[in-house]
Amino acid sequence: MKGLNIHVIEKRFDSVVVLADIDVTISGGEFVAIVGPSGVGKTTLLSMVAGLDADYTGAIRYDGVPLAEPGQSPPGLGMVFQEPRLMPWLTVRDNVRLAEAERLARDRSYVSRADSLLDEVGLRTSGDAWPSHLSGGMQRRTALARAFVVEPWLLLMDEPFVSLDLPAANQLRELLRRLCARVRPLVLFVTHNLSEALVLADRILFLGDTPARVVLDYRVEQTGSHDLNSPEVAALSRRLLARHQGLLSDVAGVDVDEGRRGKEGL
Amino acid sequence: MRFIRRRVGAGGLPRTSGRSEPRVAARTGWRRFRLPSRRGWLWRSASLTGLVAVWEIAARLAGSNMLPTPVAVLAAVYRYTRSGQLPLELGITLARVGAAFVVAMTVGTVIGFMMGRSRKLNLLLDGPLVLALNIPALVIIILCYLWLGLTDVAVIVAVALNKIPVVVVTTREGTRAIDSRLLAVAQVYHVPRTVTLYRVILPQLYPYLIASARNGLALIWKIVLIAELLGRSNGVGFELSVFFQFFDITSILAYTLAFAVVVMAIEAGVMRPLEKRLLRWRG
């Protein structure tokens, strides 16, 4: 089987089954958004792919080979968490270099790309700053630089742009688009904002139901618009929800309204 | 202007009369702007001068050998320093303090870290830990002398044993507070183990390690003196026991003063700069 195959027979927390019967295959370089209501298990699914949660039945493979050694994360992985998760005691540059530590230790001829990445995300002058002195948007830029400095083939993002104001979130989405165009990773992007998924992704997996499964696997018609609030995006999400009303009843109705009002999630 | 804005912004409090400013400053945490100021030193030296003045007056009123004047004590310090006796004994004691400190911090930190990481080990060692915390220092010292002889090794072991449980408790607390979300970052990026230790784990433990190092220094030098008094024939503790037998209060105070000054110098010259360096990212 070609590509990334996520096959989850069952994932439970104690006696509660949260994810079941998931079997999706994603080809390399695809940008896939995972959309669903909060608490549905999106983050859990991402943790499983990241190798941070191995307590489930099923298998995650790439081209038929297990993605990672048991108890480890897949090699060549980049990950952006819901919060920036920077080490407050490391400078911005050292935070980015931390992701390179393995490469720097393994390959003597490898020269750190931290500064060029910081340049790319617009933090050229902030390399020596402490993370606590940066704004929320700048901290997220640092997290993006850290994820892309390893030139990941697989990028996992867990609602990376929530709790930012709209202009800052728009800028970061634009930055993400640029970085992805250069590195071409396979992206799994968790969000509960349908409009965000529509402007970023090639394909959307809607999680729903209890226990959660993929209720709709949707290939995004490109609107050409990068603006969450554009009429094209609003029309697209309305059409999508109308067509799949039954399936998506508990998925994303609220988020379309949110998108129209110009709010970002939460 | 910047200060004023900070004060209003950070505390969320309107500017009121000048008198309430120190309170506002303490609450909003920009106290650090004031601390190194000249006024801070003024207060410190004022309290010191006051102490010496009270001592001088009391000594004159008492007018006996029971309470020598500050000048007499300083003269004794000078005398013992010139004869070379004070530096020698001080050096011997400090060497013991240093050895016991290193042993206690190393062993205590390792055990505390492991207990914080492993539930089973914690269950296994928690009982003995509580017991060890409550055994009187004197008992440990006497037993070590009996088992290991009246040697320096016995002193160092005894003092370290007294301090280790305290280090263990503090380090265990710190280890439990380690943020697993930051460890996840290290795992995701395959950060090598040693780098993870030094760049992800230890920085989270530094505040705890510094706290136990500071308390440790204070505790250890007190216990070393008792151990020396009980079973060694040199060191500050031994000298004090001799002066005790001769009712030589001036010499006792002279040695105490010298020792206290050295310990304060270590605190100011090593501990505080170290803390500043390790925790500078908080600034």
Side-chain angles (χ1 to χ4, degrees):
Chain A
M1 203 182 313
K2 276 289 188 192
L4 175 69
N5 176 243
I6 301 171
H7 180 43
V8 181
I9 300 167
E10 196 176 77
K11 163 68 192 170
R12 42 171 79 220
F13 285 120
D14 296 321
S15 59
V16 184
V17 181
V18 284
L19 299 170
D21 294 328
I22 292 176
D23 191 352
V24 290
T25 302
I26 300 156
S27 43
E30 226 177 349
F31 195 125
V32 177
I34 300 171
V35 176
S38 74
V40 79
K42 306 186 292 286
T43 300
T44 307
L45 188 62
L46 217 55
S47 297
M48 286 155 61
V49 178
L52 295 170
D53 187 341
D55 184 23
Y56 62 92
T57 52
I60 299 173
R61 296 199 163 91
Y62 194 84
D63 288 352
V65 186
L67 189 61
E69 309 274 318
Q72 286 191 21
S73 295
L77 169 70
M79 190 157 182
V80 182
F81 299 88
Q82 236 172 61
E83 17 13 279
R85 290 204 196 178
L86 305 173
M87 312 290 150
W89 45 84
L90 296 181
T91 61
V92 166
R93 180 181 297 106
D94 283 346
N95 263 290
V96 177
R97 282 174 61 102
L98 189 67
E100 296 180 299
E102 188 262 341
R103 183 76 192 270
L104 285 164
R106 176 165 50 86
D107 181 358
R108 294 217 159 268
S109 63
Y110 179 78
V111 182
S112 169
R113 279 193 290 254
D115 278 317
S116 105
L117 252 298
L118 284 177
D119 205 4
E120 203 169 346
V121 301
L123 290 176
R124 190 205 313 220
T125 53
S126 304
D128 295 316
W130 301 116
S132 57
H133 292 178
L134 302 184
S135 71
M138 288 161 93
Q139 291 184 14
R140 274 153 223 269
R141 282 167 191 272
T142 311
L144 270 181
R146 182 175 66 186
F148 275 94
V149 81
V150 297
E151 310 246 302
W153 70 270
L154 174 63
L155 178 64
L156 305 177
M157 305 187 86
D158 187 5
E159 307 205 35
F161 306 138
V162 294
S163 71
L164 284 175
D165 57 76
L166 191 61
N170 277 336
Q171 278 176 15
L172 279 166
R173 273 190 284 271
E174 209 44 58
L175 175 62
L176 173 64
R177 222 190 303 273
R178 265 207 321 273
L179 288 163
C180 282
R182 178 166 72 74
V183 180
R184 306 290 318 158
L186 188 167
V187 187
L188 294 182
F189 187 100
V190 162
T191 177
H192 61 250
N193 185 328
L194 179 56
S195 305
E196 183 175 43
L198 285 171
V199 299
L200 280 174
D202 309 316
R203 180 178 167 193
I204 303 177
L205 301 175
F206 290 89
L207 286 191
D209 230 342
T210 28
R213 59 193 176 81
V214 178
V215 291
L216 177 66
D217 184 346
Y218 174 76
R219 200 153 283 280
V220 179
E221 316 155 25
Q222 295 300 333
T223 58
S225 171
H226 293 173
D227 181 3
L228 247 57
N229 300 315
S230 69
E232 293 93 328
V233 173
L236 183 59
S237 60
R238 257 198 311 277
R239 234 180 313 139
L240 178 64
L241 291 178
R243 187 158 11 121
H244 301 282
Q245 215 156 20
L247 276 178
L248 304 180
S249 55
D250 63 335
V251 174
V254 185
D255 292 298
V256 181
D257 291 339
E258 266 184 4
R260 257 205 305 268
R261 282 205 312 269
K263 279 195 184 160
E264 278 299 293
L266 290 178
Chain B
M1 199 52 217
R2 189 165 146 248
F3 285 74
I4 291 166
R5 239 184 288 129
R6 258 189 104 104
R7 187 160 67 232
V8 174
L13 296 167
R15 276 183 79 202
T16 49
S17 73
R19 274 223 308 221
S20 69
E21 275 179 26
R23 246 185 17 181
V24 175
R27 212 181 298 153
T28 55
W30 56 269
R31 211 161 38 108
R32 59 198 156 88
F33 285 113
R34 289 164 159 266
L35 242 168
S37 74
R38 204 170 286 169
R39 188 170 286 185
W41 284 108
L42 208 71
W43 281 106
R44 273 170 197 269
S45 43
S47 81
L48 206 65
T49 317
L51 203 68
V52 174
V54 169
W55 179 3
E56 175 76 38
I57 292 166
R60 286 188 186 192
L61 287 179
S64 83
N65 289 339
M66 295 303 273
L67 186 56
T69 61
V71 177
V73 171
L74 279 179
V77 171
Y78 179 69
R79 210 168 53 243
Y80 285 127
T81 308
R82 278 208 62 175
S83 75
Q85 188 198 354
L86 178 63
L88 179 70
E89 306 295 349
L90 212 63
I92 291 170
T93 298
L94 280 177
R96 288 174 185 145
V97 169
F101 179 81
V102 170
V103 172
M105 285 303 292
T106 312
V107 176
T109 303
V110 170
I111 295 177
F113 183 72
M114 294 197 308
M115 284 177 79
R117 296 299 284 178
S118 156
R119 227 179 78 82
K120 275 185 195 147
L121 194 71
N122 186 48
L123 290 172
L124 197 69
L125 294 182
D126 194 51
L129 180 66
V130 174
L131 191 69
L133 275 169
N134 288 292
I135 296 178
L138 199 55
V139 173
I140 296 179
I141 294 169
I142 292 172
L143 286 177
C144 281
Y145 275 144
L146 289 175
W147 286 331
L148 301 172
L150 298 175
T151 60
D152 279 338
V153 174
V155 174
I156 292 163
V157 168
V159 176
L161 280 178
N162 271 299
K163 173 62 184 163
I164 285 170
V166 189
V167 182
V168 169
V169 169
T170 315
T171 312
R172 181 178 62 180
E173 239 21 77
T175 308
R176 283 176 179 165
I178 284 178
D179 191 344
S180 63
R181 295 174 313 162
L182 297 182
L183 291 180
V185 172
Q187 189 197 319
V188 161
Y189 291 110
H190 300 272
V191 179
R193 291 178 78 104
T194 46
V195 181
T196 304
L197 181 66
Y198 285 106
R199 309 228 119 179
V200 182
I201 294 174
L202 278 181
Q204 301 189 58
L205 291 180
Y206 284 154
Y208 297 87
L209 295 183
I210 290 166
S212 68
R214 285 188 141 172
N215 299 338
L217 192 66
L219 183 72
I220 281 174
W221 78 268
K222 290 175 196 170
I223 301 178
V224 165
L225 290 198
I226 296 175
E228 285 176 344
L229 183 140
L230 281 174
R232 301 300 301 137
S233 52
N234 52 19
V236 174
F238 169 74
E239 293 299 327
L240 287 177
S241 74
V242 174
F243 297 138
F244 175 43
Q245 281 156 33
F246 287 102
F247 269 62
D248 187 350
I249 296 175
T250 310
S251 298
I252 291 175
L253 288 178
Y255 264 78
T256 310
L257 187 67
F259 204 92
V261 166
V262 168
V263 172
M264 278 168 79
I266 293 174
E267 161 77 21
V270 181
M271 294 295 200
R272 232 177 284 165
L274 189 72
E275 176 177 10
K276 233 182 170 167
R277 159 107 192 120
L278 290 178
L279 301 182
R280 75 204 140 134
W281 55 273
R282 287 179 167 183

